[in-house]
Amino acid sequence: KQEVTQIPAALSVPEGENLVLNCSFTDSAIYNLQWFRQDPGKGLTSLLLIQSSQREQTSGRLNASLDKSSGRSTLYIAASQPGDSATYLCAVRPMEYGNKLVFGAGTILRVKS
Amino acid sequence: GAGVSQTPSNKVTEKGKYVELRCDPISGHTALYWYRQSLGQGPEFLIYFQGTGAADDSGLPNDRFFAVRPEGSVSTLKIQRTERGDSAVYLCASSLGAGPGNTIYFGEGSWLTVV
């Protein structure tokens, strides 16, 4: 059964710092991995989608990497801003299940001004 | 519509009551998903529709939960005889197609509280 773990569970950094969020998964047989952002009381916003054949994706200050063989992904946020404060969720799409996403519990990020 | 729309945004109901949650996916999206998110957890899969049919309902926790999508667009998640443990955010999502290359877009969720 696919399990997704995110470390750390919470992170507090000063504004301007570069930071890395970690995601690991137990079964490397995945179609893709997706990073989401969730603001308090809101739904999920897709940030980056990495297909299993890709190593990384970039969008603005965000860069996500994928090492499928080791079951790891990182989300790198450059020059963090208070507006980046949110919960960041990692989800994999396992080949075993077809159309389900399996999520981690998330990392709660707080960027202090 | 521009995004996935869910109603109601908040619902408080008494234990034992019946509840319906509605999802209006992005126009033209054929795949529709329901997930449930408890406090401090990631979302958990409930059911997936491709068109009008439920292609995978393996995540529904028990027979009190049922979902329909009669015309291949709007979907309704129905919960009978609600229990306090059903309190959670119910998230709907859609994608243009079902293949793994499709990004999945989520709505704002329906926050259900059973008292």
Side-chain angles (χ1 to χ4, degrees):
Chain A
K1 178 186 172 185
Q2 178 75 264
E3 293 183 358
V4 179
T5 303
Q6 292 188 244
I7 294 173
L11 181 63
S12 182
V13 300
E15 182 178 4
E17 192 163 298
N18 302 326
L19 60 99
V20 174
L21 307 181
N22 297 290
C23 171
S24 61
F25 46 97
T26 54
D27 188 342
S28 62
I30 63 170
Y31 286 117
N32 58 47
L33 182 145
Q34 199 163 348
W35 282 94
F36 294 88
R37 169 185 172 137
Q38 186 172 33
D39 292 285
K42 300 293 186 182
L44 279 63
T45 300
S46 179
L47 297 173
L48 292 163
L49 170 67
I50 312 177
Q51 300 296 343
S52 62
S53 59
Q54 298 174 321
R55 297 284 294 183
E56 65 178 342
Q57 283 286 333
T58 298
S59 176
R61 294 183 294 107
L62 305 180
N63 175 277
S65 68
L66 174 63
D67 184 343
K68 198 176 68 160
S69 60
S70 68
R72 296 181 187 213
S73 175
T74 61
L75 180 65
Y76 175 83
I77 302 177
S80 58
Q81 303 170 358
D84 295 331
S85 299
T87 297
Y88 290 81
L89 292 156
C90 162
V92 298
R93 190 161 181 172
M95 290 182 175
E96 179 184 4
Y97 305 143
N99 286 292
K100 299 177 189 177
L101 293 178
V102 178
F103 283 84
T107 294
I108 301 171
L109 173 65
R110 181 183 170 216
V111 181
K112 298 173 289 186
S113 56
Chain B
V4 178
S5 176
Q6 292 188 245
T7 55
S9 54
N10 284 283
K11 175 73 176 179
V12 180
T13 192
E14 292 181 347
K15 179 175 177 293
K17 298 289 189 183
Y18 170 79
V19 166
E20 287 191 353
L21 307 175
R22 174 189 166 108
C23 173
D24 199 342
I26 294 172
S27 179
H29 281 197
T30 61
L32 184 145
Y33 314 81
W34 283 99
Y35 284 78
R36 178 169 72 173
Q37 185 177 23
S38 300
L39 194 63
Q41 301 296 317
E44 293 182 321
F45 171 83
L46 294 177
I47 187 169
Y48 152 64
F49 287 89
Q50 181 57 44
T52 60
D56 183 350
D57 64 358
S58 61
L60 295 178
N62 52 59
D63 62 7
R64 295 187 298 105
F65 289 75
F66 189 72
V68 296
R69 194 186 185 198
E71 297 178 359
S73 179
V74 171
S75 175
T76 304
L77 179 65
K78 307 181 181 192
I79 310 173
Q80 298 178 323
R81 304 183 304 280
T82 51
E83 300 177 357
R84 293 195 178 88
D86 299 335
S87 297
V89 180
Y90 289 82
L91 294 163
C92 179
S94 71
S95 60
L96 186 60
N102 290 277
T103 300
I104 297 175
Y105 298 91
F106 282 79
E108 300 273 287
S110 289
W111 295 70
L112 176 65
T113 303
V114 182
V115 297

